[in-house]
Amino acid sequence: MSFRRGVVRQSKFRHVFAQAWKAEHCIDDVRVSRVTWDSPLCAVNPKFIAVIIEAGGGGAFLVVPINKSGRIDQSCPTVCGHAAPVLDIQWSPHDDNIIASASEDCTVKVWQIPDGGLTTPMTEAIVTLEGHSKRVGILAWHPSAFNILLTAGCDNVICVWNVGTGELVYQLSDSHPDLIYNVSWNKDGSAVCTVCKDKALRVIDPRRGTVLKVREKVHEGTRPMRAVFLADGKILTTGFSRMSERQLALWDTKDLSEPMAVQEMDTSNGVLLPFYDPDTNMVYLCGKGDCTIRYFEVTDESPYVHFLSLYSSKEPQRGAGFLSKRGVDVNKCEIARFYKLHERKVEPISMTVPRKSDLFQGDLYPDTAGLEPALLADEWIAGQDAAPLLMSLSGGYTAPPSKHSRDTLRGKPKMASQDSGTGSGTTTSSAGNAAAPTSTSAAKEPDMEEVSQPRATRETDGNSERPKREDDVLNELLAEMKALRAVVLAQNQRIELLERQLARIEDGDV
C-alpha cells in the first residue's frame, strides 16, 4: 500500500516535522556497539542518555547526563560489570536513576546511577538476576507496578522479577517453541504480547502463565518481527512479507483472524523498531541501517494507520533512543525526541508541531505517565492491575533528585544475589505451561526498611508546590504509611494463599 492521501484528514499531527540538532549539541566519539542483536542499543530518560558501547573483555554501556554534548573522552567511566557484551538496556519508568542491563553472560543486572553521572567506572550492580540459561536480550519494565521487570532470553524463557527482593516470581518456559523477538506490556500491565521466530503473535497473562490469544503467521517473511501494545488494547506489528517487503500491521486483540490494516513500505533488510507514544497515539518506525524515521498516527477511522511523514538523512542509524514524554521541551511544542546512533556519534532529533502561540499547548500534551507507581510489586503479584498514574506537563518538567543513595537502596531490599551470591532463578520451577510463583520470602513479615523503599513522590505542577516544609514532611509520612499498609495487606494475602496450598498438600489433594 502506498502512502497516498485522498481527502485531507483533520489531525493536529499532520504537520509534525523532524529536525536534527546542530553539530555542537551532538555527542561525539562514542564507540557504539557492533553486537549483532536487533535492540535499540540506547535508552534515554529526562536525566540520562545510556548507550551500549564496544568493550574489550566484557560488556559495557556509557551513561552521561542528558545535557551532555561534545567529545566523549576515552577515559570516560562506564558501567562495566558484565562478563560478556550487553544486548539491551532499559531505564526504570519509576526512578530515573535506575537502569537494567541484559547480557550475553546470561544475567540481568540493575544499577543505580548517581545524579550528575558517573565519576568512576561502575562494576558492582545493586542486584543481579540469574535465571536464564542462555544469553538475555530483552528487558521490559512493568508500566505501573514498582520494581517488576520482565526479561526474555535465547533459552525461549520469559522471567518476571521483583527487583526489590531479587525474586523470580514467574517463569514461562513452555509458551514459545523458538527464539522470542520482543515482548511488550499492555497499558495496565495485566498482559504482554510477544512475537517469536515461529512467526506467531501471542497475548499472554504472565501471572497465570497462560497464552490468551495466538495468531499464526502474522507476517509471512522469515526475518525478525516486532510487536507493541497500543493504549486501546490493539497491537501493532512490524515484519516482512513473503517477498521480503517490510510491513506494518494493526491487530484487534478481540479478533486476530485478520489485520485491521497492513501497509507495505520498501525492501530494505533492517528490522523496523517501533517506538510508540500513547499520549499522541503516534508510532515511529526506525529501521536499523536505515537513513529514515517514518511516523504514523493510529486512529479509530479507516484506514486506522495514517502515514504522516518521514525524516531522512544521509547517515544510516545503528540504533535509536526514544525520550520519555516527561523530557520533551513543551515550550517549543516538541512532542518527541530521538537520539540517533551513528557509528561514533549520538545525534538528537526533535519532532515538533508548528504553533504560533507561545502558550502551553494542552491539546498536544495530555497528562502523561509520571514517576509515581500505581502499584507496589506485591500488589501486582497478588492480582491487582492499574493504569499508570498521570501528571501534567503544564509549566514544563524538572527531574527530581535521586530518592536514595546507592548504599541505602542496596540496604533496603533483601537482594538474593548479594545475600547468597546466587540468583533466585534457581529456586523457581515451572510445571507445564503454568507460571511458577516463588515463595521464598512470601511468609516473611515485611520489615520497615523493605516497606519504605517503594515510596515515590507524586509529581506536581510547578505552580502547586507547597511552600511550607511542615506540609512536605507530613505528606512524606502519609505516603510512607500508605505504602506500608498496602505492602502488609499484599503480604497477608500471599501468606493466606501459601497456607491454603500447604493445607492441600498436607491433606493429599496435590
Side-chain angles (χ1 to χ4, degrees):
M1 184 184 294
S2 62
F3 304 131
R4 293 193 303 269
R5 290 200 196 98
V7 179
V8 175
R9 185 180 62 89
Q10 294 299 315
S11 169
K12 52 182 166 281
F13 303 115
R14 273 197 312 123
H15 301 295
V16 171
F17 71 95
Q19 187 169 25
W21 290 22
K22 294 180 179 179
E24 58 263 29
H25 299 301
C26 296
I27 304 175
D28 299 308
D29 278 354
V30 178
R31 297 169 292 122
V32 178
S33 174
R34 297 178 178 274
V35 67
T36 54
W37 185 259
D38 290 320
S39 75
L41 302 179
C42 180
V44 192
N45 68 20
K47 282 187 178 182
F48 300 106
I49 306 167
V51 181
I52 302 174
I53 60 172
E54 284 288 294
F61 59 96
L62 177 74
V63 179
V64 295
I66 194 166
N67 55 6
K68 171 71 176 175
S69 61
R71 182 176 175 272
I72 296 291
D73 193 270
Q74 295 304 307
S75 61
C76 181
T78 62
V79 181
C80 50
H82 281 287
V86 177
L87 300 180
D88 196 14
I89 48 177
Q90 293 290 331
W91 290 103
S92 166
H94 304 126
D95 189 331
D96 285 339
N97 294 76
I98 298 295
I99 187 170
S101 59
S103 169
E104 287 189 5
D105 64 10
C106 306
T107 69
V108 173
K109 293 179 182 286
V110 181
W111 315 81
Q112 184 169 37
I113 308 299
D115 283 339
L118 302 178
T119 54
T120 58
M122 183 174 284
T123 58
E124 185 181 355
I126 54 174
V127 65
T128 297
L129 307 173
E130 297 176 336
H132 290 279
S133 60
K134 294 185 179 179
R135 62 181 181 168
V136 190
I138 297 170
L139 297 169
W141 290 95
H142 193 286
S144 57
F146 189 70
N147 273 349
I148 294 294
L149 175 65
L150 181 148
T151 63
C154 293
D155 51 6
N156 310 335
V157 173
I158 289 178
C159 296
V160 182
W161 307 84
N162 180 350
V163 173
T165 62
E167 284 183 274
L168 173 59
V169 290
Y170 300 106
Q171 187 178 53
L172 289 74
S173 55
D174 297 319
S175 301
H176 299 86
D178 212 329
L179 180 67
I180 302 167
Y181 285 141
N182 91 302
V183 182
S184 172
W185 291 95
N186 66 352
K187 183 178 181 179
D188 65 2
S190 60
V192 296
C193 68
T194 69
V195 282
C196 177
K197 197 172 182 180
D198 66 357
K199 303 181 185 179
L201 167 68
R202 293 173 175 85
V203 180
I204 298 173
D205 181 339
R207 286 174 295 204
R208 290 192 298 166
T210 53
V211 179
L212 306 177
K213 301 267 187 178
V214 182
R215 174 58 162 87
E216 306 289 344
K217 292 189 177 180
V218 177
H219 296 277
E220 296 280 351
T222 57
R223 291 188 56 74
M225 302 182 295
R226 289 292 183 272
V228 60
F229 252 121
L230 305 187
D232 59 2
K234 297 183 179 68
I235 297 174
L236 185 135
T237 62
T238 64
F240 293 79
S241 70
R242 189 177 297 162
M243 304 301 292
S244 295
E245 291 178 303
R246 294 199 292 191
Q247 292 179 322
L248 166 71
L250 183 67
W251 304 85
D252 187 346
T253 49
K254 298 174 184 175
D255 180 11
L256 292 176
S257 58
E258 292 294 332
M260 297 177 63
V262 178
Q263 292 201 13
E264 294 179 349
M265 278 162 273
D266 55 31
T267 55
S268 295
N269 293 326
V271 176
L272 285 170
L273 305 178
F275 296 91
Y276 173 60
D277 179 0
D279 301 334
T280 60
N281 229 29
M282 288 177 61
V283 177
Y284 303 84
L285 299 186
C286 297
K288 298 198 79 170
D290 286 8
C291 299
T292 60
I293 299 174
R294 295 175 172 83
Y295 36 108
F296 301 78
E297 184 179 4
V298 182
T299 68
D300 293 330
E301 56 185 86
S302 181
Y304 307 111
V305 181
H306 307 272
F307 174 73
L308 295 174
S309 187
L310 63 82
Y311 165 79
S312 184
S313 63
K314 296 178 181 178
E315 297 292 327
Q317 57 224 12
R318 301 279 296 276
F322 188 55
L323 177 63
S324 64
K325 185 58 69 71
R326 291 179 290 113
V328 300
D329 189 345
V330 298
N331 297 319
K332 296 181 180 178
C333 294
E334 182 186 45
I335 61 169
R337 188 188 306 164
F338 282 88
Y339 285 80
K340 175 180 173 180
L341 302 187
H342 298 248
E343 189 171 354
R344 293 185 68 89
K345 182 173 78 171
V346 181
E347 177 185 40
I349 299 170
S350 289
M351 306 287 178
T352 308
V353 177
R355 292 284 172 92
K356 294 180 180 178
S357 173
D358 292 332
L359 300 176
F360 175 72
Q361 304 294 309
D363 61 322
L364 298 181
Y365 302 103
D367 288 355
T368 191
L371 275 178
E372 184 179 358
L375 297 171
L376 301 172
D378 287 322
E379 290 176 320
W380 181 79
I381 292 167
Q384 296 186 41
D385 295 314
L389 298 180
L390 304 181
M391 57 165 282
S392 171
L393 289 177
S394 177
Y397 173 79
T398 302
S402 175
K403 293 191 287 291
H404 311 286
S405 73
R406 191 161 174 262
D407 292 332
T408 44
L409 181 66
R410 188 195 306 154
K412 288 186 176 180
K414 296 290 189 291
M415 300 297 186
S417 63
Q418 290 160 2
D419 290 347
S420 62
T422 59
S424 58
T426 56
T427 66
T428 303
S429 60
S430 175
N433 202 34
T438 60
S439 57
T440 49
S441 67
K444 293 189 302 182
E445 287 296 330
D447 59 32
M448 287 300 293
E449 286 185 337
E450 186 169 324
V451 167
S452 64
Q453 180 204 356
R455 187 179 76 245
T457 306
R458 182 183 294 274
E459 299 304 321
T460 57
D461 190 298
N463 297 325
S464 63
E465 291 183 359
R466 297 190 177 206
K468 296 182 181 179
R469 181 175 177 79
E470 292 81 0
D471 289 345
D472 295 337
V473 173
L474 179 60
N475 287 337
E476 286 188 11
L477 289 173
L478 291 173
E480 186 162 352
M481 289 171 60
K482 180 180 176 183
L484 176 59
R485 274 195 221 97
V487 170
V488 171
L489 177 63
Q491 293 284 23
N492 285 337
Q493 291 173 343
R494 292 187 68 187
I495 290 170
E496 290 173 7
L497 176 63
L498 289 167
E499 287 174 344
R500 287 197 297 269
Q501 291 175 347
L502 182 61
R504 286 202 301 271
I505 292 172
E506 290 174 345
D507 294 342
D509 295 339
V510 179

